Amino acid sequence: MKSKFHPDKSGYFGQFGGAFVPELLFPNVKELEDNYIQIIESEEFQQEYKDLLKEYVGRPSPLYLAKRLSEKYGAYIYLKREDLNHTGAHKINNTIGQVLIAKKLGKTKIIAETGAGQHGVATATVCALMGLDCTVFMGEKDIVRQAPNVARMKMLGATIVPATSGSKTLKDATNEAIRYWIQHPETFYMIGSVVGPHPHPDMVARLQAVISEEIQWQLKEKTGKTTPDTIIACVGGGSNAAGAFYHFMDDENVELIAVEAAGLGVHSGESAATSQLGEVGIIHGSKTILMQDEYGQIKEPYSISAGLDYPGVGPLHAFLYESKRATFMNATDREALDAAYELTKLEGIIPALETAHALAVLPKLTFKKNQVVVINLSGRGDKDLETFIKYLE
Ligand SMILES: *Cc1c(COP(=O)(O)O)cnc(C)c1O
């Protein structure tokens, strides 16, 4: 399948992507680039990957027609239930795939960076499953803020290394992980979204594409058609959106809506709406759109949801934005909290705060009669209960 939304040989989506890495890291990146497609497309990988997704993760995740939500908004709204996956979100689709690739490359040690700890937990989980050594880099500030996930990672056997430089958050953890990777080229760097140097964005998108692959046949069973009219997903780095969009990107009849976190308001100074506030630059080894100051230094983003609190978007999303193939919308903290309560009251499903941003654009859209809408329910809200309860008070 040839698509203009797949990267070219050098890892570019239009002007975005590439691999901007220090020379010392080049052999690591090259090794992965030379092997990842062949591994992913091999029958052996596909069998192991599909088997683990079924027996361990619990796939296929249901495509649920949310009747009361549909009634309220006047459309057929289907929820792709990634929240029902083992560990509670879509992130495990990616880490299962990457751990199998790491094993095929003969790696015995895995490193990862994490902000909220969700990707760290998904990484520590698959390392426990495979008996691999796991080190997770995490900002010192995030270690304090995300104590329950730190405890989960430790119980799963991971070593947590605090990043004490800069703002002591995700971008600093990423810098530490890259520094460690340079010094230990025998390790495999498991990135948690469609970001980083080529081939990571493409590799992660291919591993999350199981979401849209399932949506196709599930919709066929339910509606007789393999395509919806609209797909909505939230965007931090962009992996759950990439997975939900993947098989539909070339079909212009399918409307793609990406929802970013506006924090306290897009222009409030406390926001993570990257496409609206960002400019072209280089972050984590790829050319994309990112929030930066006049010196090109990364600006600290803000969102109530830790998973959307990221200063860039992956290169595929920068291209979807620039080419206008996807519509970029955003939702504030408050709109997301309201949407989370609405889904809980109407459907008995508590979504993750990240996911709630995707739900929050429903009141801003107008639907035609019988419009079929799929919302990617990227994760469950158990981790966010404290925030939800605080909002009630
Ligand atoms: C991490 C996370 C996100 C944001 O990451 P993407 O790579 O943009 O998908 C969204 N939802 C949930 C539940 C997450 O854990």
Side-chain angles (χ1 to χ4, degrees), residues 82-83 87-91 116-119 192-195 204 208 233-243 259 305-310 317 351-356 376-381 383-384:
E82 295 300 300
D83 60 316
T87 71
H90 66 290
K91 288 203 169 69
Q118 295 300 107
H119 172 57
S193 189
V194 284
V195 299
V204 177
Q208 291 291 359
C234 66
V235 173
S239 68
N240 88 86
V259 186
S305 80
L308 302 186
D309 193 351
Y310 182 75
H317 293 277
L353 262 172
E354 291 83 3
T355 315
N376 199 35
L377 217 71
S378 58
R380 69 177 84 125
K383 68 186 177 59
D384 300 313

Side-chain angles (χ1 to χ4, degrees), residues 1 3 5-6 80 205 208-213 215-216 227-228 230-235 238-251 254-259 316-317 320-321 325-329 358 374-376:
M1 182 173 78
S3 160
F5 298 101
H6 292 171
K80 182 59 174 161
Q208 291 291 359
V210 63
I211 299 173
S212 60
E213 190 187 312
I215 291 173
Q216 286 182 308
T227 55
T230 303
I231 306 179
I232 307 174
C234 66
V235 173
S239 68
N240 88 86
F245 295 168
Y246 200 85
H247 287 85
F248 305 110
M249 289 190 294
D250 284 304
D251 184 347
V254 181
E255 179 185 33
L256 308 176
I257 299 180
V259 186
L316 166 63
H317 293 277
L320 288 171
Y321 175 72
R325 173 63 188 94
T327 304
F328 278 67
M329 300 180 72
V374 173
I375 301 178
N376 199 35

